[in-house]
Amino acid sequence: MDNEEFRDWSRRAADWGADYRASLRDRPVRPAIAPGKIFRSIEASPPEASEPMDTIFADFEAKIVPGMTHWQHPRFFAYFPANAAPVSVVAEYLVSAMAAQCMLWQTSPAATELETRTVDWMRQALGLPEGFSGVIQDSASSATLNAVLTMRERALDWQGNKKGLAGQARLRIYSSDQVHTSIDRAIWVAGIGEDNLVRIPVAGRFRAMDTAALEAAIVADRNAGLLPAGIIACVGGTSTGGTDDISGVAAVARRYGLYLHVDAAWAGSAMICPEYRHFWTGIEGADSIVFNPHKWLGAQFDCSIQFLRDPESHVRTLAIKPDYLKTHGHDGVINYSEWSVPLGRRFRALKLWFLLRAHGLENLRAMIRNHVAWSEGLAARLAGEADFEIVSQPMLSLFSFRHKPASSADDDEHNLRLVNAINDDGRIYLTQTRVDGRVAIRFQVGQFEATAEDVDVAFAVIREIARGMA
Ligand SMILES: *Cc1c(COP(=O)(O)O)cnc(C)c1O
């Protein structure tokens, strides 16, 4: 592709993107296709000769687009959102055109310094105290892995990386059972072992860890000669928005010298609104906090901020500093590759900078407040219907419900069939979860382009399909 063709195709891609976004409401959110159909439509062997871009692009439109689940669809109410505000897409286009590796200050000074600045903008926007610094990771899963590795190294007096875990005291990490599966995987990958992730019982509407039980577990482990290393708390768990009492947990962490990581991957975005910060009162006591601007806030995936109270212990755990990476003559510069597991790094700060400037915090707050209000409104409307019940009350913009037709013998089976029927219909998209062992349907409003009318459509579709099945 020569530069003129690059110009031409970039323009065509931009036109395509704008048309695509404008057409989303007319498309099914999730395609109704059988597994394997797209795979079979792609040539089994790679081409030897070059093909014209027109042909490649026509295949993209014919074979790929109809098989996409449209995450930017305004009636995507499944999982959590992965918003890519148009302005962040434009920034990503520029990043992709420059395609810089941003591992060291000197491999991209602007990327490094903008990252430091935008992370601090977000610190202020979330109301975190000065003194927290941070880094943009690819995902919350990576941030949590880094935090678990830091817990491990701190507890082992920095000997784990060097000597391995054989012969060391058994490390223990504590969390509730409401945390994301990325916590389990971090424990596996860090070599700590699932058996050493101690699940603390939860209580109350927000399924918070019982802090007395947490403390008792730590004391019992210490007395048994095990090595408590850290606590992972959550604000806005994936299933029903489970949220720990951060001040209570932080007090326990402090008392026993444990490292505290808080996973607020989804709910963190809402903390730009001061009225929601009660959900993480005491957050200044955390050592590490992760939140994903690539979820609710609108910064195109991937963009996950990890705030750190003491980056020293984090960098001490992760930095290698081989000779060929040494940057000479720049004392005090930050090399963000020392803050994460991968060496290579994308320029993730640009889209956040564009997003925050183009929308302003005021407009982002208004969007989040609307989502929360619309979600609460829908929960209230469903609660008012005799054949629906709310299983978990709204935590910000997330709640779960169940349909209870008089005729159904097996509620779980009925609700699984219902969620499939809703998704096959295509007008909206939802996912299910299990609450206290029983199937519930999750609902969250978080799409950048969603309107109150889209939520009205959801109400109509849910009732229509549920009642058609009963
Ligand atoms: C989405 C989510 C994660 C995982 O985020 P990734 O960035 O995809 O790794 C972890 N924890 C919570 C609470 C989440 O909502």
Side-chain angles (χ1 to χ4, degrees), residues 20-200:
Y20 169 76
R21 288 293 178 101
S23 73
L24 280 173
R25 269 199 188 79
D26 304 325
R27 298 174 189 255
V29 190
R30 191 189 74 170
I33 50 165
K37 181 166 178 280
I38 296 158
F39 178 76
R40 286 191 300 274
S41 78
I42 309 294
E43 293 296 323
S45 309
E48 290 292 341
S50 86
E51 295 186 68
M53 262 304 283
D54 280 305
T55 312
I56 302 168
F57 201 83
D59 276 350
F60 160 71
E61 289 192 287
K63 297 179 177 178
I64 303 302
V65 181
M68 293 301 290
T69 296
H70 303 297
W71 280 74
Q72 304 310 313
H73 197 298
R75 293 195 299 268
F76 181 105
F77 302 115
Y79 305 97
F80 282 134
N83 286 329
V87 64
S88 79
V89 176
V90 173
E92 276 292 72
Y93 178 78
L94 304 176
V95 164
S96 165
M98 294 186 286
Q101 277 294 344
C102 309
M103 51 207 180
L104 308 175
W105 178 86
Q106 72 165 339
T107 66
S108 269
T112 299
E113 295 185 16
L114 187 65
E115 181 159 342
T116 308
R117 187 57 86 190
T118 50
V119 167
D120 195 63
W121 278 13
M122 283 311 321
R123 175 193 67 73
Q124 296 172 51
L126 267 49
L128 293 172
E130 274 178 45
F132 273 97
S133 49
V135 52
I136 308 182
Q137 307 283 7
D138 57 354
S139 64
S141 304
S142 295
T144 295
L145 173 61
N146 296 338
V148 169
L149 292 170
T150 305
M151 290 174 189
R152 185 189 81 185
E153 289 306 296
R154 249 178 108 253
L156 295 178
D157 198 20
W158 319 98
Q159 294 302 302
N161 280 342
K162 191 170 166 57
K163 296 186 177 153
L165 301 188
Q168 306 278 12
R170 234 169 92 191
L171 294 157
R172 304 286 270 180
I173 289 174
Y174 309 82
S175 80
S176 79
D177 61 359
Q178 299 295 305
V179 293
H180 189 263
T181 49
S182 55
I183 279 79
D184 302 62
R185 291 209 282 182
I187 300 287
W188 301 347
V189 175
I192 289 169
E194 187 174 295
D195 290 352
N196 295 309
L197 176 60
V198 184
R199 301 288 193 175
I200 305 301

